[in-house]
Amino acid sequence: MKSAPKIFLALSLIALSSMTFGQQVISDQQREDVSRILNTLASDDMRGRSALTKDIEHAADFIAGEMKKIGLKPYAEESFRQSFQLDKLSPKSNSAAINKKTIPAEHIISLGNHVDLKWDDKSPIKIVNITSDADFAQAFREQSLSKENTLVLVDPSFEASFVRFGQMLSNPKFIEDSSIQKPSIVYLLTKKNQKHSTFILNEIFKTFRFLMLRELSPEKVNQMNM
């Protein structure tokens, strides 16, 4: 399977290659074809062509039509699509409380592929801060690559960015092998912070609770096959 950007590039190259050979002159029709293909795939109607979403279907149908028009044939299956199955992980609920004070749901972001996750003040997890003087986007990306379970405490000054990131990351995601567990990274927007990393929550909080639930379901995916 290849990503939508790669398919986009490949189709563009095919169109360009049909335009030029040696010193041949590019015809007006060829220019129009290239412009039409690029403008269609880049249009707002394609909604970003995000892979593994319904938004890619319209773009895939258009690309398949262009391939058939120039005489290409499917490689392995009867169509230009490739069918395979992935596990779909859909968020159900996130809840957290520090010292018995509930954290609003929009102030919680959880990453990882655990179906159920439960932490309390005795959980041995790493804790780090994103302070008000940090570059939030950069710090967020750095912590998302953590190799161990991590609780990230984010300064409230980043609320607008935090909520926007949370909305982008709240959609269901697809995973190839649900049996392979990756570290969980949980971000909380809270005034609570500490200067040094620790592995024991009760060294910072009197009480702490985090509960995350997701639904795991198999789903058949039909993507472009090139």
Side-chain angles (χ1 to χ4, degrees), residues 101-120:
K101 183 177 180 179
T102 301
I103 305 294
E106 64 270 20
H107 291 174
I108 305 170
I109 299 174
S110 57
L111 305 180
N113 63 351
H114 287 86
V115 176
D116 301 324
L117 185 65
K118 183 178 181 180
W119 291 346
D120 59 26

Side-chain angles (χ1 to χ4, degrees), residues 2-189:
K2 295 191 177 181
S3 65
K6 290 182 179 179
I7 295 172
F8 184 15
L9 177 60
L11 190 62
S12 300
L13 291 175
I14 291 171
L16 288 171
S17 67
S18 68
M19 291 167 47
T20 60
F21 180 80
Q23 298 298 318
Q24 287 184 353
V25 178
I26 300 172
S27 70
D28 290 340
Q29 182 60 51
Q30 290 169 331
R31 290 180 184 277
E32 290 178 6
D33 285 341
V34 171
S35 177
R36 175 181 57 82
I37 292 171
L38 296 179
N39 289 335
T40 299
L41 291 175
S43 69
D44 291 341
D45 290 342
M46 293 297 177
R47 295 168 52 89
R49 310 182 310 276
S50 297
L52 301 178
T53 70
K54 291 184 178 180
D55 293 337
I56 196 66
E57 299 295 325
H58 189 191
D61 290 339
F62 172 77
I63 292 172
E66 293 298 311
M67 289 179 171
K68 185 176 181 180
K69 188 186 299 183
I70 63 176
L72 294 181
K73 297 183 181 299
Y75 173 68
E77 301 182 16
E78 293 183 359
S79 71
F80 289 104
R81 302 287 189 94
Q82 178 183 13
S83 299
F84 53 95
Q85 187 163 300
L86 294 175
D87 288 326
K88 183 178 181 180
L89 201 57
S90 304
K92 293 183 66 176
S93 65
N94 270 338
S95 63
I98 294 176
N99 296 337
K100 298 184 179 181
K101 183 177 180 179
T102 301
I103 305 294
E106 64 270 20
H107 291 174
I108 305 170
I109 299 174
S110 57
L111 305 180
N113 63 351
H114 287 86
V115 176
D116 301 324
L117 185 65
K118 183 178 181 180
W119 291 346
D120 59 26
D121 46 275
K122 296 181 178 60
S123 298
I125 57 177
K126 183 179 180 180
I127 307 172
V128 297
N129 288 315
I130 297 180
T131 55
S132 60
D133 58 347
D135 180 323
F136 174 72
Q138 180 179 341
F140 189 99
R141 287 192 295 269
E142 289 175 354
Q143 296 306 323
S144 70
L145 300 175
S146 177
K147 302 299 183 183
E148 53 195 322
N149 289 340
T150 303
L151 176 66
V152 184
L153 306 178
V154 181
D155 189 89
S157 62
F158 295 116
E159 181 175 15
S161 297
F162 189 100
V163 171
R164 186 170 66 254
F165 275 45
Q167 291 171 343
M168 291 188 296
L169 296 168
S170 63
N171 295 323
K173 67 176 184 177
F174 291 90
I175 54 178
E176 293 185 8
D177 189 348
S178 58
S179 65
I180 300 176
Q181 294 294 325
K182 296 181 179 180
S184 289
I185 297 91
V186 176
Y187 300 81
L188 298 181
L189 193 75

